[in-house]
Every structure is written in C-alpha cells, then in structure tokens.
Amino acid sequence: MTSPAGPSAAEPSTELSAAARTALDLTAGLPLPALENLYRDLHRHPELSAREHRTAGILAGRLREAGYETAEGVGGTGGPGVVGMLRSGDGPTVLLRGDMDALPVAEETGLPYASETPGVMHACGHDLHVTWLAGAAGALAAGRDTWSGTLLVVGQPAEETGSGAAAMVADGLYERFPRPDVLLAQHAAPGPAGLYAHTPGLIMSAATDVDIVVHGVGGHGSRPEACVDPVVTAAYIVTRLQSVVSREIAARESAVLTVGRIEAGTRHNIIPAEAHISLNLRTQSAEVRDRMLASIRRIAAGECAAAGCPREPTVTVGGSFPVTVNDADTDRRVAAVHGEVFGAGTVLDFGPVMGSEDFPFLAEGGPEGGPGGGLPYSYWFVTSTPAEVWDAAAAGAGGDLMEQLAAVPSNHSPHFAPDLATVGPGVRTLVSGALEMFAR
C-alpha cells in the first residue's frame, strides 16, 4: 500500500466547504523548505522533558514574528511552555497545542540530521509537532482576515512525563490568556503517510506508574539461609503479575500491565536488602485501573509474606495520564473537514489505542473545569511512515496489515523517522481544523 494522495493545495474542489477551501488557500504557498529545515534543526537538537528551552525559544520567536502576543516560561518548574495569542475580531477562542519534549533514547536512524545530543532523541515526533504548529500559526496569522475569534497557540513542555499540561494550567494559563472554547491537537503515528485517524469518543487510554519495593534481609551470597532474598521474591511477583490481565480482567476490557524495570543488588556475591520493581498500567476505565491496583497490592503482599520478608512491600502509585476522550461532535466536524481537504479514503477510525497523553489536562480548563466537565477537544493521529519503509514492510507481512504495521518503526523506537512529506499536510490539518472551529 502506497501513500494515499489528497486534493492538491493549489487545486481545491468547487464542492468544498468554506473552511476547507480557505485552509487550502492559506496553505497553498507554505514555505516548505524553511519548515523542513526547522524540523531538521529541532531533530538535531532534542531536549528532555521540562528542559525544552531552545525549542521553546525558537517557537516563541516565530510566533512574535507572525504578530502573536507571546509569553514564555508558562509552566513554572514544570517546563518552559510557550503561548501565542492572536485576536481577529469577535468569535470563539480556539487553542492549538503541540508538545516539545524528546526522549532518553539513543538514535539509530542514520539520518543526516540525526540527534547531536548523546542518548537523547525525538523518538516520538514532537519535533514534527512543533514544526506543524509553527507552520499553522504562520498561515493563520497571514490569513487572519479569513476568520474571526481568538487563536491560542501552545507549545507544551513535558508531555512524556505527563506533567507539562497540568503545570501550564497551574501556572495560570487560563488566567493570563482567554479560556478556550475548543482545543485541537494531533500526533505523528506509524502507518502509510497520508492518513488521518479520528475517533469520536475514547481515543487513548489512561496510564499509571506503580513502584514496588520488596524488603528482604541482606547478607553473604554463600549463606542464603541467613537471609531473605528480595530478588527471588521480586521474580515471583513479576511472574505472578502476568496473570492479572489474563485472569482477573474481563476479556471485553482492554488493559496492559508492563514491568519496565526490576533492579536490585550491587555485587555478584551479595544478597541485597531490597529489590525495586517499576510497573506501567494502561486502562480505559477507572474501575479496571482500581481492580488492577488492588491485584498488584495483593500479589506483592502475598509473595512477600510467603517468602518471610521482615515487612510488607512498599507499593507507591506514581504519575498518571488521563484517558483521552474526544468530544464527538467536535471530532466529527474536524474529521469531515480533513476528509474534504485530503480526499476520500484518507480519514479513518481505528478505535481507541493503549497509548496515553496529558493533553486532556489542558482541557480541564483551570479552576472552572475538571475531569468529566472540561472543555471540548479533538485529538487525532497523522500517519507518517515513509512510503518506501511501509512498502518494504509489506514484503514480509504476507498481506497482514497488523504484521506490516508492527514491522515499521513506531513511536519511541530508536529508528523512528517520520516522512518529511508530512510537513505540509500536518500544517494543513491544524489550519483546516481551526477554521472549522472558528466557523461554529
């Protein structure tokens, strides 16, 4: 399957809505070479969560040049968030968000513009998100006479740690700037470049981190009978945890339990006093999350009791991401305008995924908002796998689409390298979505 092609930006159909036609007009002359260079520069210089100072400065500079009222450092210690505001008469306030942080991943793409920061890489496409955001901000500013309302452009730090969006809200985002009527965001994803995945309702799962400390009795490796080995106990816990999803969660529910770290000891011949286990849960309902947490506590306590540990394990529930639930009407409208702009067969709904986002924290809207009562939003995916990579994966997949998808580099992979051909379309998705919301 090769990349699908939509209508040319220079040749809009006479049957398009006003929002779609205007979006194509405003993006017909995008400075693609400059935007591609911006992307390459951001990819070369990735910055970890809450440290995105260079990236934030570049975005802020572009917003100022385009005429936005711009603030930096929104987020306090949570990271260097950027906000640009552009007013164009009366109308709704629309927020466009792009996240800025990279990951502690050593890049293995071999790209000529690969990361120059050892051990840090834009392995999730946030450099592409910033590029899309900057391009859309420029196009909408240049065409401000075509829409009425207030546009907020948000460069968000620390998405990967789940803290950036909440930090911006806590730092007075909606006291310093108007509270938006609607929010829009998008994310690069694996799949043949040129598809736009929308799901009205639940689109991404909640994530919860859990840490377990097993307390044993340390000693010499030659005298295990004088010790309580926390490593063996931790191994039993890890093994037993594998039955939580398969035996305690109903088949109709979606859940994932991943053991991401197990750590203990300092030397070959020392039985340590403690072992540490780090887990990540992915759930799509609060009920399933609570059930899994109860199971984890029960299993950890039971295995420690069986081993004769001197005290119960310490179980700590850490950071979490909320579920991402699109406002159905908002998402259908954005999906419809994307279908007009890019053509038949380019918009699809593949249902909710197990990935997670902190974007919904922006939609809680500060003091007046809250879980279940926040602001409407639409969040979608832009597939970005280069055609040659996608087609090569097809050769070994035997016609199985899921096998083909699994064979291409995905987000967080050291080989993740979005197609530069998605720079223009990713700008166009944000511009058309914003114009559709201004038309409400």
Side-chain angles (χ1 to χ4, degrees), residues 113 142 160 184 312:
Y113 50 89
E160 295 291 355
L184 305 178
E312 289 192 350

Side-chain angles (χ1 to χ4, degrees), residues 352-365:
V353 299
M354 298 309 293
S356 302
E357 253 282 357
D358 75 340
F359 172 64
F361 287 133
L362 286 178
E364 290 181 5

Side-chain angles (χ1 to χ4, degrees), residues 3 36 45 88 108 268-269 290 356:
S3 301
E36 290 171 2
H45 301 97
S88 182
E108 298 178 19
H268 298 72
N269 64 343
D290 291 345
S356 302

Side-chain angles (χ1 to χ4, degrees), residues 203-218:
I203 187 169
M204 297 187 82
S205 304
T208 306
D209 290 336
V210 182
D211 288 287
I212 303 172
V213 180
V214 177
H215 305 283
V217 177

